[in-house]
Amino acid sequence: MTTATLTFDARDFKAWLPKYGVYLAIVLLVLYNIFFTPYFLTWSNLRIQLIQVAPIVIVALGMALVIGTEGIDLSVGSVMALAAALIPLYLGYGVAAAILVSLLAGVAVGLINGVLVARVGLQPIVATLALFVGGRGLAVVISEGKLKDVRNPDLIQLGSGYLLGIPILVWIAAALVLVVAFLVRRTVFGRRLLAIGGNRPATELAGLPVKRVLITVYVICSVLASIAGLLSVARIQSSDASAVGLLIELSAITAVVVGGTPLTGGRVRVLGTVAGALLMQLVIATMIKHNLPPSTTEMAQAVIILIAVYVARERKTR
């Protein structure tokens, strides 16, 4: 009887781990920092962590949608760079015009990625790799390879302002989390997205607009990356196309996978993605505060990714 109970508990824990393991890891890491990291619970530190993780959360939301269709988007960092390069060029026409142009650039990149994947039939990693390389190159050309200061007070307010004591940047990220969660759970589009990731041939046979949904998903992902790019410019008050969004695609994919969204598609865990981004930010912050070298941080991130992918694989094979 005892053996059966222990077996049941072990199986139950394995089923529980992919869904809620990230939250347990966050709790344990927070408890460690409370006891062993000086000034961890100060509002100044918490504010810094939220500000730093907000752009990653925004990009990871779009990445989660793409991964939900069994795809991937490597161009999000380049889209951020494009948005950052375009902002200074159009601020003379007003902050609204500059933001609109940056968002339209995201739409254009998303359309290219979506068409290459949905209509041309390229593998997502191949289709988005082209703009991963070329997009940042174009951004550097647009900016002439120069760092440009941004002094528009309205734009700076988005990155540095506060509402009810909380950074506006964080409010924007939270609003986008709610929008994406609603999109996935409460709309026909969300159900079709998950159906495509779960079994694309079946959805095509059922007559669902697979190509249109895929293109829309890549457009949404790129637009969210554009938003993250312009908010990054607003926060640092400068535009550097060679640095903005550099390697953020890896952070976004990590957040999605650690948060419980399988790379095989068919599911999107929005709250888990946010938790995954927070966990990775806490890991990095903890190691920095304890004076560990960057190489140790990178190795820790790699171990976390491997564990997350293994746990997801274990669940799928059962």
Side-chain angles (χ1 to χ4, degrees), residues 43 47-48 51 157 159-169 171:
W43 170 238
R47 182 187 64 211
I48 290 172
I51 289 173
Q157 182 70 8
S160 305
Y162 289 82
L163 178 63
L164 301 177
I166 297 175
I168 293 175
L169 180 65
W171 282 112

Side-chain angles (χ1 to χ4, degrees), residues 65 183-184 187-194 212-214 216-217 220:
L65 296 179
L183 191 68
V184 171
T187 67
V188 173
F189 173 80
R191 289 193 290 272
R192 288 174 175 174
L193 182 157
L194 298 178
R212 188 170 71 223
V213 171
L214 283 174
T216 304
V217 166
I220 292 172

Side-chain angles (χ1 to χ4, degrees), residues 2-315:
T2 303
T3 303
T5 302
L6 289 173
T7 302
F8 173 78
D9 290 342
R11 290 178 178 176
D12 193 48
F13 177 73
K14 287 182 178 180
W16 176 90
L17 191 60
K19 290 183 179 180
Y20 306 108
V22 64
Y23 305 109
L24 176 62
I26 288 174
V27 170
L28 293 175
L29 195 54
V30 167
L31 288 175
Y32 171 84
N33 279 287
I34 288 174
F35 289 106
F36 299 105
T37 303
Y39 310 111
F40 175 76
L41 284 182
T42 61
W43 170 238
S44 175
N45 177 62
L46 295 177
R47 182 187 64 211
I48 290 172
Q49 302 309 319
L50 289 174
I51 289 173
Q52 289 180 341
V53 81
I56 299 174
V57 168
I58 294 171
V59 175
L61 290 172
M63 188 68 73
L65 296 179
V66 172
I67 290 176
T69 65
E70 202 177 1
I72 202 158
D73 190 345
L74 299 179
S75 67
V76 288
S78 297
V79 175
M80 287 182 65
L82 273 174
L86 290 169
I87 282 285
L89 295 181
Y90 291 91
L91 273 178
Y93 300 96
V95 67
I99 291 174
L100 179 61
V101 169
S102 296
L103 295 181
L104 288 176
V107 171
V109 173
L111 282 173
I112 294 172
N113 287 335
V115 169
L116 289 175
V117 172
R119 297 197 178 276
V120 179
L122 292 181
Q123 290 292 327
I125 193 170
V126 176
T128 59
L129 183 62
L131 283 167
F132 166 79
V133 178
R136 188 171 295 277
L138 177 59
V140 172
V141 170
I142 291 172
S143 65
E144 300 177 341
K146 300 176 181 178
L147 186 148
K148 297 183 179 181
D149 292 333
V150 174
R151 300 301 181 191
N152 186 285
D154 294 327
L155 182 64
I156 292 173
Q157 182 70 8
L158 293 177
S160 305
Y162 289 82
L163 178 63
L164 301 177
I166 297 175
I168 293 175
L169 180 65
V170 175
W171 282 112
I172 294 173
L176 291 173
V177 169
L178 294 177
V179 170
V180 172
F182 178 82
L183 191 68
V184 171
R185 297 183 180 182
R186 302 295 182 184
T187 67
V188 173
F189 173 80
R191 289 193 290 272
R192 288 174 175 174
L193 182 157
L194 298 178
I196 291 169
N199 193 331
R200 180 172 174 176
T203 56
E204 290 175 338
L205 290 173
L208 295 179
V210 174
K211 294 179 180 179
R212 188 170 71 223
V213 171
L214 283 174
I215 292 172
T216 304
V217 166
Y218 281 92
V219 168
I220 292 172
C221 183
S222 290
V223 169
L224 288 172
S226 293
I227 293 172
L230 67 90
L231 289 176
S232 295
V233 170
R235 181 171 67 87
I236 63 178
Q237 301 179 28
S238 65
S239 171
D240 185 358
S242 63
V244 172
L246 190 63
L247 298 180
I248 198 171
E249 54 277 343
L250 301 182
S251 299
I253 294 169
T254 301
V256 174
V257 173
V258 170
T261 297
L263 291 171
T264 50
R267 286 194 304 274
V268 175
R269 301 196 183 281
V270 177
L271 189 58
T273 296
V274 177
L278 287 171
L279 175 62
M280 301 311 295
Q281 176 61 33
L282 281 173
V283 168
I284 294 170
T286 300
M287 292 190 170
I288 290 174
K289 288 182 179 296
H290 288 271
N291 298 317
L292 292 175
S295 57
T296 304
T297 303
E298 292 167 359
M299 288 188 290
Q301 288 179 287
V303 170
I304 292 171
I305 294 170
L306 289 173
I307 292 173
V309 171
Y310 178 77
V311 169
R313 174 183 173 277
E314 285 288 291
R315 185 182 180 191

